Structures are given as C-alpha cells and as structure tokens.
Amino acid sequence: MLTPPRTVVRRDGGLYALERALQRRGFRHVAGADEAGRGACAGPLVAAAAVLPEGRRGEIDGLADSKLLTPASRERIYDEVVARALAYAVVVIPAEEVDARGLHVCNVAAMRRALASLITRPEYVLTDGFGVDGLDVPGLAVWKGDRVAACVAAASVLAKVTRDRIMVELDDRYPGYGFAEHKGYITAEHTAALREHGPCREHRFSYVNVATISGRDGRPPRFRRPAVDGPDEPMERSGASGGTVGVALGEQPRPPAPVGEDVVMEGGVR
C-alpha cells in the first residue's frame, strides 16, 4: 500500500502556510482554537475557535498573535475575523468554574466546546499548545500556534478581545482593582489592590495568591470561594449561575471599549 507523500511546511512560509498545506491535502475547513486568561487570577477563562475561508478572502491584513498586537489593531482584526470567518464560536468559563474544575480541565473543555459549536464542521483542527480529544476529526497541537497558523491567531484575537471587554465591564462593577488596566493578571498594582480590598467574587480562589490573601490557602480549591458576597462585594455578577459555560455563536461585535495590555503575564508588547 502506497503512503501519501509527506507534506513539508517551511518555517518561513508565513502565517497561512500550514493551513494552505492542509487544504492542498484535502482538508478544506481548517479550524483553529486558542484561549485567553490562563495566567490571570481574576475574571473568566475565554476560548475561541474560528474557520477562515480558503484563498485571499481568508487573509486578514495584520493578523498575528493577539499578544503582539496593539489594542486598536486587535479591535480592527476582531471585526475582520467576525466578518470573514466561515464560522466562529466563543466560550466563557467563569472564575467559579475554574476553581471547581481546575484550570487545565476548563481550558481543554472550553476549546472542545468552542470547536464543537462551529456551524461549519472542521475537517482538521489546529490548537495552541494543548491537544483536544473527542472531536472526531484529525488535529494537531502546535507550539506557539497563534504565531504559526492564521486560524489559531484569529481565534486568539476573538478570545482576547472578548475577555478584555468583559474585564472592562467588571471594572465598573468592582471598582478599585484596576481590572480595565491589568485585565486580572498579577501585577504590582493588582496585588496591592488585593491586599487593600481583599478578593471579590471574580477572583480565582484556587490561585495561591488569592487564596493566601483571603485566608483560605489551607482549604481545597472548590471550598475556597466565598459562599455569599462579603461587605466589600456589594455587586452581583450578571449572567448564568452555577458555573455554566456560555457559548456565543455568530456574536455581533460590541462597540470597541478602551482596553489595556496584559503584557506582564502574556508577554506581549505595548
């Protein structure tokens, strides 16, 4: 039995080389998946998946790893991805779900759910860093995938912009923490605010810095979260309760919000 010829993708082939190679082998619909917020100690974990069209329509000017883009560029490219993608989906995992199930479990589950929610069924899946099983289609986990594959970069922008907008909204509901600036990542300013105000319900109590400041570091992760709002948490969190996962299919982009950078934890540039 003859084996098919090996496909070679050159490192200098550009962001679209891997997808084009897969499409030449018959995988027309290549989906990419990525997440935002793994390193944050507050706010949700957000995963996204996207399928870009073949050919020139799928090429988005300036598309890159979301961490390498300015806030204005991310907003522009977000709109381009939404307008051009054959399909895209965004999954939001709230902080309490991360505490209850664990970060890695939530990360993989969110990417799986985003991929499964695509209205155009992918024929091949590329994920950033972690393999995702249970998809019934071939796939490949790509190291630094958001810098190697266009569909993964597109997913990274969807996830990043969605999460940044959520954190800006949370800054209005929980003033004093600076969520609009650091997006829930561990910065000196965020640590100082945690020490002054204590954690709010949007913090991840399974993270050692939050658990220690809250005085719950000796308890199992799922029991670290407060049962009810404390006196320093007068505002209720909107949206579904009970740790459910929300999926936004074909979500219309909201008006751009001013967003800051999470360069400290995600290694981006200003």
Side-chain angles (χ1 to χ4, degrees):
M1 180 177 179
L2 295 177
T3 58
R6 182 181 179 187
T7 299
V8 177
V9 180
R10 295 174 56 89
R11 288 183 178 272
D12 58 357
L15 193 63
Y16 296 88
L18 181 53
E19 283 166 82
R20 298 294 182 259
L22 288 167
Q23 288 162 352
R24 289 195 298 271
R25 296 298 297 273
F27 301 104
R28 292 186 58 203
H29 299 147
V30 181
D34 200 4
E35 51 70 33
R38 278 182 60 88
C41 68
L45 177 72
V46 178
V51 179
L52 296 177
E54 297 178 80
R56 294 292 296 275
R57 178 164 173 73
E59 296 181 5
I60 298 172
D61 184 40
L63 178 62
D65 172 10
S66 63
K67 296 184 291 296
L68 303 179
L69 299 170
T70 64
S73 294
R74 280 197 296 263
E75 292 284 349
R76 177 185 63 80
I77 292 172
Y78 176 96
D79 291 343
E80 288 281 338
V81 172
V82 168
R84 296 192 187 199
L86 295 177
Y88 73 95
V90 179
V91 170
V92 179
I93 306 281
E96 58 264 31
E97 184 84 2
V98 174
D99 285 343
R101 301 181 64 194
L103 177 64
H104 182 69
V105 171
C106 286
N107 186 39
V108 174
M111 287 198 290
R112 181 187 299 113
R113 204 166 292 195
L115 288 162
S117 299
L118 293 170
I119 59 174
T120 298
R121 187 175 186 273
E123 298 168 358
Y124 201 97
V125 168
L126 299 173
T127 53
D128 183 34
F130 301 99
V132 178
D133 56 10
L135 298 175
D136 297 326
V137 295
L140 178 67
V142 183
W143 176 248
K144 296 290 184 183
D146 44 12
R147 303 187 187 187
V148 176
C151 57
V152 179
S156 79
V157 171
L158 291 175
K160 171 71 173 161
V161 171
T162 299
R163 188 177 187 279
D164 280 356
R165 291 174 177 179
I166 291 172
M167 297 309 296
V168 169
E169 292 174 357
L170 290 178
D171 187 64
D172 291 336
R173 278 182 263 169
Y174 296 91
Y177 294 100
F179 288 152
E181 296 300 321
H182 54 66
K183 303 301 187 295
Y185 288 90
I186 306 169
T187 65
E189 293 78 12
H190 191 183
T191 299
L194 265 173
R195 289 173 177 162
E196 179 179 357
H197 305 294
C200 72
R201 289 187 63 192
E202 293 296 335
H203 281 95
R204 301 176 187 175
F205 284 75
S206 55
Y207 280 47
V208 64
N209 65 319
V210 179
T212 300
I213 290 174
S214 70
R216 297 166 179 263
D217 52 312
R219 306 180 68 187
R222 70 179 59 192
F223 295 107
R224 289 176 184 167
R225 296 194 62 81
V228 296
D229 286 349
D232 59 333
E233 300 169 348
M235 303 182 184
E236 295 182 358
R237 186 178 189 279
S238 65
S241 60
T244 56
V245 177
V247 180
L249 299 176
E251 176 192 42
Q252 294 300 314
R254 286 178 278 179
V259 294
E261 291 288 274
D262 48 20
V263 296
V264 175
M265 293 304 299
E266 292 201 20
V269 295
R270 290 191 183 276

